[in-house]
Amino acid sequence: GAVVSQHPSWVICKSGTSVKIECRSLDFQATTMFWYRQFPKQSLMLMATSNEGSKATYEQGVEKDKFLINHASLTLSTLTVTSAHPEDSSFYICSAREDGTRYYNEQFFGPGTRLTVL
Amino acid sequence: GENVEQHPSTLSVQEGDSAVIKCTYSDSASNYFPWYKQELGKGPQLIIDIRSNVGEKKDQRIAVTLNKTAKHFSLHITETQPEDSAVYFCAASTDGAGGTSYGKLTFGQGTILTVHP
């Protein structure tokens, strides 16, 4: 089956620092990747959509200069939280999709990354 | 944009009973409706999905029904087991329609299902 990994699984950082989260598709080509944020006991909120080699499309209210997304290859996307603050503490989840193929455009989710900003 | 409402927010059942979770959506263009199970500290896992060209789909103890006219879809779990306890999310998207909203999932608020032994 299609597997998506994320690294790290959890990270603690100081306020003002930047944190990079990696999302990898292990056995398929991730034509499109999505980044979500999930606060405790809440639903998943889409932050941005990225296509390999293109700039990410951000959802309304998401600061593109704060949440930098790079989808450099068909197996890797990164989310960098710049100048992190405590309010950025959340569970970040990526998903990946192999467009127009055997998977019928299904999104496969990573295990998530717990970010805590002190 | 799409709006998905999910009910109930919590559901408690005895082992062996059935559980039903309902969702409504607003965008008549939505044509793909997946259901996800999320365990604590993990990412969502697809458990079943349905496309708008069918009204019902079943996979062992899990079934999903779709009423396009009323814009609602439901998840049915029969013979529940304690390991079914988790948070369940419904979602809706326009799949294959092209454009900027292509494939974007809009999630419901989630249902915490607890199955008591």
Side-chain angles (χ1 to χ4, degrees):
Chain A
V3 179
V4 175
S5 70
Q6 278 185 245
H7 179 80
S9 55
W10 58 270
V11 57
I12 301 173
C13 70
K14 293 182 178 180
S15 185
T17 61
S18 294
V19 174
K20 180 184 284 188
I21 302 170
E22 292 186 349
C23 176
R24 293 182 184 272
S25 58
L26 300 186
D27 50 4
F28 67 101
Q29 294 187 328
T31 322
T32 305
M33 283 186 165
F34 303 85
W35 285 95
Y36 297 85
R37 180 166 52 184
Q38 186 179 34
F39 292 108
K41 298 186 178 181
Q42 293 189 22
S43 188
L44 284 78
M45 296 300 295
L46 180 65
M47 299 174 67
T49 304
S50 71
N51 295 104
E52 182 263 339
S54 302
K55 287 185 179 180
T57 301
Y58 290 80
E59 294 299 298
Q60 193 171 6
V62 178
E63 300 175 58
K64 61 178 68 176
D65 294 330
K66 180 167 185 64
F67 299 100
L68 302 179
I69 292 171
N70 184 6
H71 190 164
S73 76
L74 285 172
T75 60
L76 174 64
S77 176
T78 60
L79 167 67
T80 302
V81 183
T82 63
S83 186
H85 291 284
E87 57 265 31
D88 298 323
S89 298
S90 188
F91 194 48
Y92 291 88
I93 307 170
C94 71
S95 70
R97 188 181 70 206
E98 188 178 68
D99 295 334
T101 66
R102 59 200 157 131
Y103 295 121
Y104 299 102
N105 302 327
E106 177 183 337
Q107 285 188 35
F108 299 95
F109 285 82
T113 297
R114 173 75 58 194
L115 170 63
T116 301
V117 184
L118 302 176
Chain B
E2 175 65 279
N3 182 50
V4 178
E5 296 288 332
Q6 182 173 344
H7 298 281
S9 56
T10 61
L11 180 58
S12 183
V13 300
Q14 288 296 127
E15 183 177 1
D17 288 350
S18 295
V20 180
I21 303 171
K22 298 182 179 182
C23 289
T24 60
Y25 62 99
S26 61
D27 190 350
S28 57
S30 290
N31 57 6
Y32 175 61
F33 308 93
W35 285 89
Y36 296 91
K37 176 183 181 182
Q38 187 179 29
E39 297 178 339
L40 191 63
K42 298 184 178 180
Q45 277 195 307
L46 179 72
I47 55 172
I48 196 167
D49 57 11
I50 191 168
R51 297 177 190 275
S52 59
N53 57 347
V54 297
E56 185 173 356
K57 183 176 179 181
K58 189 174 181 180
D59 183 6
Q60 300 183 338
R61 297 187 297 110
I62 297 173
V64 58
T65 58
L66 170 66
N67 183 326
K68 286 174 56 181
T69 303
K71 292 188 207 163
H72 66 69
F73 56 113
S74 301
L75 176 71
H76 304 253
I77 306 174
T78 59
E79 300 172 28
T80 54
Q81 301 165 3
E83 50 265 39
D84 293 331
S85 297
V87 181
Y88 290 81
F89 291 98
C90 63
S93 79
T94 49
D95 185 42
T100 58
S101 65
Y102 174 46
K104 280 173 50 174
L105 289 170
T106 300
F107 283 84
Q109 296 85 349
T111 297
I112 302 172
L113 174 64
T114 304
V115 181
H116 299 282

